[in-house]
């Protein structure tokens, strides 16, 4: 079956906060990354892995702001961990809460430890059995501390 490549509506979650409820909108702080020309793009091709690509890129941007380093993180690692918890079929992609929860619980490892080969069949790309202890140990320092909606 072909992937749908579309976003899935998220069920109402009582933990969600309405936009503007916690704080009124403010101007974008100058410390935010507005020039991302240094970022090496990763391409997902015609696959439903956009959430894992977005999550690994988000963590890269956050780390770059903190340390100035320019690494690449593995969307394949993040995808495999996401699919262990999100409850969506691989062909249907994922949701933001699962992406951020995975970044908080597992982090994301270096791309050099698990390349993102989007030409693999979706079952092979999703298979968590290829994750090693070394990947997990490399990923864990790259967790996010918190997230909110």
């Amino acid at each position: 079956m072909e992937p749908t490549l579309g976003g899935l509506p998220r069920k109402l979650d009582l933990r969600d906060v309405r936009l503007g409820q916690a704080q009124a909108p403010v101007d974008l702080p100058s410390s935010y990354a507005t020039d991302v020309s240094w970022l090496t793009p990763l391409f997902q091709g015609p696959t439903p892995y956009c959430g894992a690509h977005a999550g690994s890129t988000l963590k890269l941007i956050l780390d770059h702001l903190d340390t100035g380093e320019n690494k690449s993180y593995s969307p394949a690692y993040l995808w495999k961990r996401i699919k262990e918890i999100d409850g969506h079929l691989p062909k249907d992609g994922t949701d933001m809460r699962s992406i951020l929860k995975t970044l908080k619980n597992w982090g994301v490892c270096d791309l050099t430890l698990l390349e993102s080969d989007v030409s693999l069949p979706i079952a092979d790309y999703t298979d968590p059995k290829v994750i090693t202890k070394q990947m997990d140990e490399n990923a864990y320092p790259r967790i996010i501390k918190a997230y909110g909606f």
Side-chain angles (χ1 to χ4, degrees):
M1 182 174 266
E2 289 294 313
T4 57
L5 302 181
L8 297 174
R10 191 166 54 80
K11 294 179 186 152
L12 178 65
D13 189 307
L14 297 177
R15 297 172 292 181
D16 293 345
V17 177
R18 292 177 49 135
L19 185 62
Q21 183 178 350
Q23 174 181 330
V26 295
D27 289 334
L28 186 66
S30 60
S31 63
Y32 278 36
T34 54
D35 173 17
V36 291
S37 59
W38 52 269
L39 187 65
T40 303
L42 299 171
F43 297 100
Q44 74 185 62
T47 67
Y49 316 139
C50 58
H53 280 74
S56 59
T57 300
L58 168 66
K59 184 59 177 147
L60 171 61
I61 292 169
L62 292 172
D63 288 354
H64 179 78
L65 289 172
D66 287 344
T67 66
E69 288 184 328
N70 185 12
K71 292 185 167 192
S72 289
Y73 296 145
S74 175
Y77 175 88
L78 193 58
W79 176 259
K80 291 170 193 336
R81 288 295 187 207
I82 289 168
K83 296 321 286 178
E84 291 180 315
I85 66 162
D86 75 353
H88 301 298
L89 294 173
K91 70 177 184 63
D92 290 334
T94 191
D95 58 82
M96 285 301 299
R97 189 174 308 280
S98 297
I99 297 164
L100 296 171
K101 187 175 183 179
T102 302
L103 283 170
K104 185 174 187 310
N105 292 335
W106 282 285
V108 61
C109 75
D110 289 334
L111 185 63
T112 57
L113 294 177
L114 184 59
E115 292 290 331
S116 185
D117 183 358
V118 297
S119 69
L120 291 172
I122 196 166
D124 293 341
Y125 193 87
T126 304
D127 186 2
K129 287 184 255 168
V130 302
I131 294 176
T132 65
K133 184 178 178 184
Q134 181 187 17
M135 290 174 199
D136 282 339
E137 289 172 351
N138 182 267
Y140 191 73
R142 292 180 190 87
I143 61 170
I144 58 174
K145 292 183 176 71
Y147 60 91
F149 291 97

